[in-house]
């Protein structure tokens, strides 16, 4: 791999067709067998968007090496998920990253059906059968992961689709714009007020809208344990409800205070750091002579990627017919995962983890909890008890231990301590992550490493 000046180990990549007799529609993958003890299992990672490449996860979150924004070169990742399991990163659906073909899908059911076909073809190429399967991802993959997992369960084929669990970070699982954005955004602002530095009069204006638009009453009623009942169907209309668009008001004003504001991690400040994936697109800073790593010809050759494809972190064209590029769900007509497919996956595996990072504003912690409290699984609605058990991360900081030693900071690479809240009921594990933005394996790799250990049944709690 260009710029990677150490042995990354055994690694494969390329295109695998969805249908064997049609090479014009294929998904791009990177597959790396575990560098630890051999295991008969495979963990799939999917980024979201819709239309965002899973190569972001590979190079900045949980891969064998990582190249973080603002750094000179890639480094080995001591928290690589390949330490524990065989890893498969996939650009899907068609139209994402290096995958080829024309998007035809309008629903998650269709993209999941295509993924199931691709995955069987992949397994046959690599001689994999009877592997335990874990499907993981973040953001809009909060929709991909449950639908793909449910499609695997529907196959009733343990030889090729032995699904054993699923994990989603900061996921779109409910009515995204209302439940996971508008309702929780003012309390989020209050909790992180020192990072926004809004004046008192503007804070008072926002608080009044939070009450007048019914968001305060909604949280007071439904964010309870156990929940009082099923939440009414709500959808935010950006035309008729424009006066109640607190999310846009807060995010727009945040740029006036902090020109480098990042809705994915609100504690980030200036200066802008060059990101080798050129993400997020709204804040791209490309210094003279810099290139997008995966769009380099030498990188494409090394990865057996299609050289005619211009790689971008997120597709400039919709990956669902009739939709838009980006997080809007237009074109994706499927029901929200909490309505049926996520409960199906929980009940089919009793090993599902849903997690949210507290510095993420695009999908907020309380919004995800509200979604869970509106979901029925294994016979009951929501969590019956309030999450409160701490997550104590005892592993040392393997990433920067040498830096600490060089600077004479003895003990600075010790355990991380209390880094979140965990709660398990009826097959579902909830994990709130402190001090993390949207891309949790990037921002809090020690914590997410523990999440993976739980998913793979290496530990019983977080």
């Amino acid at each position: 791999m260009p710029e990677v000046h150490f042995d990354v180990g055994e690694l494969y990549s390329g295109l695998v067709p969805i249908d064997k007799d049609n090479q014009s529609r294929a998904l791009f993958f990177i597959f790396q067998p575990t560098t630890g003890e051999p295991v008969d299992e495979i963990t799939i990672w999917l980024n979201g968007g819709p239309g965002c490449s899973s190569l972001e996860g590979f190079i900045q979150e949980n891969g064998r090496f990582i190249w973080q924004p603002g750094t000179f070169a890639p480094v080995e990742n001591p928290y690589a998920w390949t330490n524990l399991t065989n890893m498969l990163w996939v650009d899907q659906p068609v139209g994402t990253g290096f995958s080829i073909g024309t998007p035809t899908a309008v629903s998650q059911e269709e993209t999941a059906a295509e993924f199931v076909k691709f995955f069987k073809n992949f397994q046959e190429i690599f001689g994999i059968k009877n592997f335990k399967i874990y499907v993981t991802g973040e953001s809009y993959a909060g929709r991909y992961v449950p639908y793909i997992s449910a499609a695997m369960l529907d196959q009733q084929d343990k030889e090729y689709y032995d699904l054993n669990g699923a994990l989603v970070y900061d996921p779109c699982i409910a009515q995204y714009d209302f439940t996971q954005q508008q309702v929780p955004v003012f309390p989020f602002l209050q909790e992180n007020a020192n990072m926004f530095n809004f004046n008192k009069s503007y804070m008072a204006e926002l608080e009044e809208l939070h009450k007048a638009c019914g968001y305060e009453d909604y949280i007071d009623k439904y964010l309870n344990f156990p929940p009082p009942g099923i939440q009414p169907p709500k959808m935010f209309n950006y035309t008729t409800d424009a006066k109640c668009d607190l999310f846009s008001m807060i995010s727009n004003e945040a740029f006036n205070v902090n020109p480098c504001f990042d809705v994915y991690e609100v504690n980030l400040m200036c200066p802008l750091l060059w990101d080798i994936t050129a993400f997020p697109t709204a804040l791209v800073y490309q210094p003279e002579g810099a290139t997008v790593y995966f769009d380099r010809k030498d990188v494409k050759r090394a990865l057996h990627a299609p050289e005619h494809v211009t790689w971008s972190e997120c597709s400039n064209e919709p990956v669902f017919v009739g939709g838009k590029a980006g997080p809007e769900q237009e074109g994706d007509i499927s029901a929200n995962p909490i309505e049926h497919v996520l409960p199906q996956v929980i009940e089919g595996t009793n090993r599902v983890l849903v997690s949210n990072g507290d510095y993420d504003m695009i999908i907020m912690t309380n919004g995800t909890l509200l979604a869970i409290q509106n979901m029925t699984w294994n016979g009951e609605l929501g969590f019956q008890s309030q999450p409160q058990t701490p997550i104590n991360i005892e592993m040392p900081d393997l990433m920067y231990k040498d830096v600490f030693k060089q600077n004479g900071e003895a003990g600075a690479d010790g355990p991380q301590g209390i880094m979140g809240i965990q709660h398990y009921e009826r097959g579902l594990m909830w994990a709130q992550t402190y001090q993390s933005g949207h891309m949790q394996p990037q921002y809090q790799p020690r914590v997410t490493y523990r999440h993976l250990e739980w998913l793979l049944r290496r530990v019983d709690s977080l």
Side-chain angles (χ1 to χ4, degrees):
M1 292 293 295
E3 314 300 338
V4 182
H5 303 301
F6 49 85
D7 185 3
V8 299
E10 186 180 5
L11 186 148
Y12 305 87
S13 59
L15 291 163
V16 169
I18 294 167
D19 295 302
K20 291 180 180 178
D21 57 353
N22 182 4
Q23 299 294 319
S24 66
R25 289 173 57 81
L27 302 184
F28 184 82
F29 75 93
I30 293 180
F31 172 54
Q32 183 147 37
T34 180
T35 55
E37 292 296 319
V39 286
D40 291 336
E41 67 189 20
I42 188 166
T43 299
I44 299 164
W45 173 266
L46 306 171
N47 279 88
C52 291
S53 171
S54 296
L55 301 196
E56 179 199 351
F58 169 74
I59 202 167
Q60 291 187 329
E61 300 192 63
N62 48 27
R64 177 72 177 80
F65 61 93
I66 50 174
W67 196 340
Q68 303 291 26
T71 60
F72 178 72
V75 296
E76 294 187 68
N77 182 8
Y79 306 107
W81 287 14
T82 50
N83 294 345
L84 297 171
T85 184
N86 304 307
M87 284 295 300
L88 176 65
W89 295 266
V90 184
D91 278 349
Q92 70 84 51
V94 168
T96 301
F98 281 129
S99 292
I100 60 172
T102 301
T104 59
V106 297
S107 70
Q108 294 288 334
E109 287 87 353
E110 290 176 289
T111 55
E114 291 188 337
F115 189 92
V116 164
K117 292 179 181 180
F118 152 84
F119 187 59
K120 187 171 185 179
N121 291 337
F122 167 83
Q123 290 177 92
E124 289 178 345
I125 290 170
F126 285 90
I128 295 172
K129 289 183 181 180
N130 300 307
F131 268 34
K132 294 177 181 177
I133 300 166
Y134 300 90
V135 186
T136 68
E138 70 188 13
S139 192
Y140 203 82
R143 297 175 71 82
Y144 296 152
V145 169
Y147 272 93
I148 288 172
S149 298
M152 288 185 176
L153 290 172
D154 289 343
Q155 300 299 310
Q156 298 184 347
D157 180 357
K158 294 283 187 178
E159 186 175 27
Y160 287 104
Y161 303 107
D162 187 11
L163 184 79
N164 270 249
L167 175 156
V168 285
Y169 288 126
D170 301 61
C172 298
I173 53 174
Q175 191 56 50
Y176 159 76
D177 49 14
F178 182 83
T179 305
Q180 296 188 271
Q181 284 199 332
Q182 300 293 352
V183 171
V185 71
F186 182 72
F188 176 89
L189 171 64
Q190 288 181 307
E191 291 169 3
N192 300 283
N194 61 321
M195 296 182 194
F196 288 82
N197 291 319
F198 291 173
N199 63 43
K200 289 183 179 180
S201 62
Y202 193 56
M203 289 292 288
E205 179 185 343
L206 293 170
E207 184 173 14
E208 180 58 34
L209 283 172
H210 177 63
K211 294 176 180 178
C213 294
Y215 301 152
E216 182 179 67
D217 289 342
Y218 197 93
I219 290 177
D220 288 347
K221 180 175 182 178
Y222 292 110
L223 193 55
N224 286 291
F225 307 87
I230 295 174
Q231 299 167 30
K234 293 278 188 176
M235 187 172 182
F236 192 82
N237 187 310
Y238 287 93
T239 301
T240 59
D241 300 330
K243 67 181 183 299
C244 290
D245 188 2
L246 266 69
F247 182 86
S248 294
M249 292 175 68
I250 292 170
S251 57
N252 290 340
E253 184 61 25
F255 280 103
N256 291 328
V257 178
N258 173 16
C260 301
F261 175 74
D262 188 344
V263 73
Y264 292 95
E265 186 168 27
V266 297
N267 62 321
L268 295 183
M269 302 293 168
C270 291
L272 287 174
L273 301 177
W274 164 235
D275 187 329
I276 55 102
T277 69
F279 184 82
T281 53
L283 290 173
V284 170
Y285 161 62
Q286 186 167 336
E288 185 176 353
T291 55
V292 176
Y293 183 72
F294 289 116
D295 202 45
R296 287 171 42 166
K297 289 183 178 180
D298 55 349
V299 174
K300 289 180 180 180
R301 285 193 294 270
L303 288 174
H304 315 121
E307 295 194 23
H308 70 279
V309 173
T310 299
W311 186 90
S312 62
E313 165 57 22
C314 295
S315 173
N316 295 317
E317 300 296 331
V319 295
F320 289 96
V321 175
K324 295 180 179 179
E328 294 88 353
Q329 297 174 22
E330 296 177 34
D332 175 1
I333 64 173
S334 300
N336 293 315
I338 60 170
E339 296 179 32
H340 62 90
V341 291
L342 186 52
Q344 178 188 351
V345 177
I346 297 170
E347 294 164 1
T349 65
N350 283 307
R351 207 72 175 184
V352 171
L353 187 148
V354 176
S355 179
N356 222 94
D358 278 352
Y359 286 168
D360 182 10
M361 188 172 138
I362 197 80
I363 297 283
M364 283 161 275
T365 297
N366 280 346
T368 302
L369 272 175
L370 270 171
I372 290 173
Q373 292 307 90
N374 199 31
M375 176 174 68
T376 299
W377 76 95
N378 277 324
E380 289 186 286
L381 176 68
F383 285 137
Q384 303 305 294
S385 301
Q386 184 168 356
Q388 58 185 358
T389 303
I391 298 173
N392 186 14
I393 303 300
E394 298 177 346
M395 69 178 72
D397 190 342
L398 302 176
M399 184 77 75
Y400 298 109
K401 61 179 181 178
D402 293 335
V403 175
F404 292 134
K405 289 178 181 178
Q406 289 171 11
N407 289 277
E409 299 179 40
D413 61 340
Q416 196 167 14
I418 304 302
M419 286 302 300
I421 299 294
Q422 62 182 309
H423 186 74
Y424 181 80
E425 280 190 38
R426 311 189 313 276
L428 175 62
M429 175 67 84
W430 162 253
Q432 176 181 352
T433 303
Y434 296 161
Q435 299 180 15
S436 178
H438 194 69
M439 295 78 170
Q440 288 193 48
Q442 176 178 343
Y443 298 126
Q444 289 296 342
R446 281 191 276 181
V447 180
T448 56
Y449 196 85
R450 178 64 52 79
H451 295 164
L452 181 65
E453 289 179 312
W454 180 85
L455 179 67
L456 301 174
R457 295 174 167 82
R458 310 288 204 270
V459 297
D460 294 326
S461 70
L462 304 179

